[in-house]
Amino acid sequence: MARKKLYLAGPDVFLADARAVGERKRALCWEFGFEGLFPLDNDEDVGGNAPRIFRDNCALMQQADIGLFNLTPFRGPSADVGTVFELGFLFAQGKPVYGYTAAPQRYRERVARSGRVVEQNGPRDRDGYAIEDFDLIDNLMIVRAIEDAGGVIAAVENAGDGTDGDPLAAFRAFTACLGLMRRRILLPEAASPRTN
Amino acid sequence: MARKKLYLAGPDVFLADARAVGERKRALCWEFGFEGLFPLDNDEDVGGNAPRIFRDNCALMQQADIGLFNLTPFRGPSADVGTVFELGFLFAQGKPVYGYTAAPQRYRERVARSGRVVEQNGPRDRDGYAIEDFDLIDNLMIVRAIEDAGGVIAAVENAGDGTDGDPLAAFRAFTACLGLMRRRILLPEAASPRTN
């Protein structure tokens, strides 16, 4: 049976060593029984060509069986918007979606930490927008989409060495999520009547 | 002919007067020839029930013919992630999508203004992530999706009165976008051979 293809979404594409990160993530996918599809926004062939990058990413998502999303906060209290666009895209196609993050705190804690909270019928930011308080790690559309599609979010605390955006924590969360996905998606098949 | 239904996505749902904002936006849609569908995350009936809010929003998106997105930056240099999830969802369904924003600056300028830029093969933030530089107002997935789906983004400078997140600027941008949509979507029909 062909391996299930995972679309590997995340701000990883913006890293200086994006290609190496992608190769490492694809190797980990293979180890866990999947095939990883890693978009390369900054590939030499397409560098600087926004329409081409967009079309290539959409084509790669069309090929995928499952979405796996790096939800680690990016330039603010929430996940990268490019990643979240892709989450909406794959969810709308009815594909299973999973997430991982190196920031297990609740969303409201991250917004509060930015120091912009006033009380007015519940917590609001300085612009008067209510701060979502559903005890979730990010905006409810993100978390509920993953749960509704039968997926899970793996959260791994970063090492606490003072480094924001610790790439190793994101790798640990990624690996933890692959382990969960293997047990939920692949092992039930291995545990069919014939092998019991 | 039935009016085309616009799903009105945006962080407006977090405003203290979300219901009034929604009513005003729906009235504007009607004035321009459309029917507005406004999600009410904080409606008394569903307040605090994340799974219910998620399902209601998805059901409202299924009903919509077109998506109209408030892309004004929210708690960071990019649009609200809940809004962007919905953009991915409606784009994947092949529906036309339009956007508006009260922040016409380029994305790279907004990130640079946060003062976290280093030079290393192009501009990078302090975590080493490249700062997208496609001369676009936000992440390329957002802007390209709208352009690929035949839509446009209306940008209106806010009044410069020092108020971040000036809600009137967002209203002006919303109204400007409705005007563009009317000309592109409704007036070509009015200008059919019979009426010429």
Side-chain angles (χ1 to χ4, degrees):
Chain A
M1 200 183 62
R3 283 174 178 242
K4 285 194 193 298
K5 293 189 175 75
L6 311 186
Y7 182 78
L8 304 178
D12 316 54
V13 292
F14 302 122
L15 289 167
D17 57 346
R19 188 183 286 269
V21 168
E23 283 311 310
R24 188 167 157 200
K25 288 196 162 171
R26 280 165 43 81
L28 280 164
C29 287
W30 196 261
E31 219 174 275
F32 280 86
F34 299 102
E35 180 181 346
L37 305 178
F38 188 78
L40 265 184
D41 286 16
N42 296 309
D43 207 70
E44 290 121 37
D45 297 344
V46 295
N49 185 336
R52 170 80 187 280
I53 294 169
F54 178 75
R55 284 196 307 270
D56 285 0
N57 289 357
C58 289
L60 212 54
M61 286 194 281
Q62 298 283 6
Q63 287 172 43
D65 301 301
I66 302 171
L68 178 48
F69 296 84
N70 183 352
L71 300 173
T72 306
F74 186 72
R75 296 177 187 157
S78 283
D80 165 50
V81 288
T83 302
V84 175
F85 173 87
E86 296 175 335
L87 176 64
F89 185 99
L90 286 168
F91 176 81
Q93 295 192 320
K95 294 178 178 172
V97 285
Y98 286 74
Y100 60 97
T101 176
Q105 301 80 17
R106 306 293 96 174
Y107 176 69
R108 65 163 187 271
E109 292 168 27
R110 278 203 297 279
V111 177
R113 219 187 300 157
S114 74
R116 307 186 301 177
V117 180
V118 295
E119 274 297 325
Q120 184 202 337
N121 290 327
R124 295 184 175 275
D125 67 19
R126 65 174 176 192
D127 297 324
Y129 290 98
I131 299 169
E132 260 193 7
D133 186 8
F134 295 110
D135 203 33
L136 302 177
I137 62 133
D138 206 326
N139 182 287
L140 80 87
M141 298 303 286
I142 294 175
V143 177
R144 286 305 312 167
I146 290 171
E147 291 177 359
D148 257 50
V152 290
I153 299 176
V156 169
E157 184 79 62
N158 86 36
D161 58 359
T163 316
D164 277 349
D166 169 13
L168 290 180
F171 265 117
R172 285 196 305 275
F174 177 74
T175 309
C177 197
L178 284 174
L180 289 167
M181 293 172 75
R182 180 176 169 75
R183 283 195 291 282
R184 293 167 71 112
I185 299 167
L186 300 182
L187 295 190
E189 291 174 11
S192 69
R194 221 169 40 167
T195 62
N196 275 347
Chain B
M1 198 182 63
R3 283 176 179 242
K4 284 193 194 299
K5 293 188 174 76
L6 310 187
Y7 182 79
L8 304 179
D12 316 54
V13 292
F14 302 123
L15 289 167
D17 57 346
R19 188 183 287 268
V21 168
E23 283 312 310
R24 188 166 158 202
K25 287 196 161 173
R26 280 164 44 79
L28 281 164
C29 287
W30 196 262
E31 218 173 276
F32 279 87
F34 299 102
E35 180 182 347
L37 306 177
F38 188 79
L40 264 184
D41 285 16
N42 297 309
D43 207 71
E44 290 120 37
D45 298 343
V46 296
N49 186 335
R52 170 80 187 280
I53 294 168
F54 178 75
R55 283 196 308 268
D56 285 358
N57 288 357
C58 289
L60 212 54
M61 285 194 282
Q62 298 284 6
Q63 286 173 42
D65 301 301
I66 301 171
L68 178 49
F69 296 84
N70 184 351
L71 300 174
T72 306
F74 186 72
R75 295 177 187 156
S78 282
D80 166 50
V81 288
T83 303
V84 175
F85 173 87
E86 296 175 335
L87 176 64
F89 185 100
L90 285 168
F91 176 80
Q93 294 192 321
K95 294 178 177 170
V97 284
Y98 286 74
Y100 60 98
T101 176
Q105 301 79 17
R106 306 292 96 175
Y107 177 70
R108 67 163 188 272
E109 291 167 26
R110 278 203 297 280
V111 178
R113 218 186 303 156
S114 73
R116 309 187 299 177
V117 180
V118 294
E119 274 296 325
Q120 183 202 338
N121 289 328
R124 295 184 174 277
D125 68 17
R126 65 175 175 194
D127 297 323
Y129 290 98
I131 300 169
E132 260 192 8
D133 186 8
F134 294 111
D135 203 33
L136 302 176
I137 62 133
D138 206 327
N139 182 288
L140 80 87
M141 299 303 286
I142 294 175
V143 178
R144 287 304 313 166
I146 290 171
E147 292 178 356
D148 258 50
V152 290
I153 298 175
V156 169
E157 185 78 63
N158 86 34
D161 58 358
T163 316
D164 276 349
D166 168 13
L168 290 181
F171 265 117
R172 285 197 304 276
F174 177 74
T175 308
C177 197
L178 284 174
L180 288 167
M181 293 172 74
R182 179 175 169 75
R183 284 195 291 282
R184 293 167 71 113
I185 300 167
L186 301 183
L187 294 191
E189 292 174 9
S192 69
R194 223 173 35 173
T195 61
N196 276 346

